[in-house]
Amino acid sequence: MNTQQDQSELILEADFLWREILVGDEIFLDSDFYQNDSRLLCKGVPYQVLAKMEDVCGAQTLVVQSYQTRELVSVSPFLVCSYEAAPEPVLIS
């Protein structure tokens, strides 16, 4: 398989995850997430999805809150290794 096919498969997989994961679900990351040399999210720790966003250009992100800094952090679905569905759906009114 060539690199272009690998990238296409990764894009499709990330898009699938973004569509499957719902607000209220918990995500787990492949690795620690750093921003400005500060670790905001840790590998192996569940983070509840607070919102899902899609940019005008099509970029998709999941918004979670850092336990370290309490900041809201946008996470690309490319960084998600697994997720767990919320026990009950979260209703937004």
Side-chain angles (χ1 to χ4, degrees), residues 10 13-14 17 27-34 41-47 75-83:
L10 284 174
E13 185 176 315
L17 272 176
I27 61 171
F28 296 84
L29 304 181
D30 277 329
S31 60
D32 291 347
F33 182 85
Y34 289 84
L41 306 175
C42 300
K43 175 183 177 178
V45 176
Y47 293 95
V75 176
S76 167
F78 288 108
L79 301 175
V80 176
C81 66
S82 66
Y83 73 97

Side-chain angles (χ1 to χ4, degrees), residues 1 5 9 17 26 31 35 47 75 91:
M1 190 168 359
Q5 283 178 311
E9 285 183 19
L17 272 176
E26 292 185 331
S31 60
Q35 193 170 47
Y47 293 95
V75 176
L91 301 176

Side-chain angles (χ1 to χ4, degrees), residues 8-63:
S8 295
E9 285 183 19
L10 284 174
I11 291 168
L12 288 173
E13 185 176 315
D15 180 65
F16 174 79
L17 272 176
W18 187 84
R19 292 177 191 284
E20 284 291 307
I21 295 171
L22 303 175
V23 171
D25 291 352
E26 292 185 331
I27 61 171
F28 296 84
L29 304 181
D30 277 329
S31 60
D32 291 347
F33 182 85
Y34 289 84
Q35 193 170 47
N36 299 327
D37 295 328
S38 177
R39 184 172 69 178
L40 298 180
L41 306 175
C42 300
K43 175 183 177 178
V45 176
Y47 293 95
Q48 186 178 41
V49 175
L50 303 175
K52 293 171 57 173
M53 300 174 61
E54 187 168 17
D55 239 339
V56 174
C57 66
Q60 301 164 326
T61 57
L62 303 164
V63 179

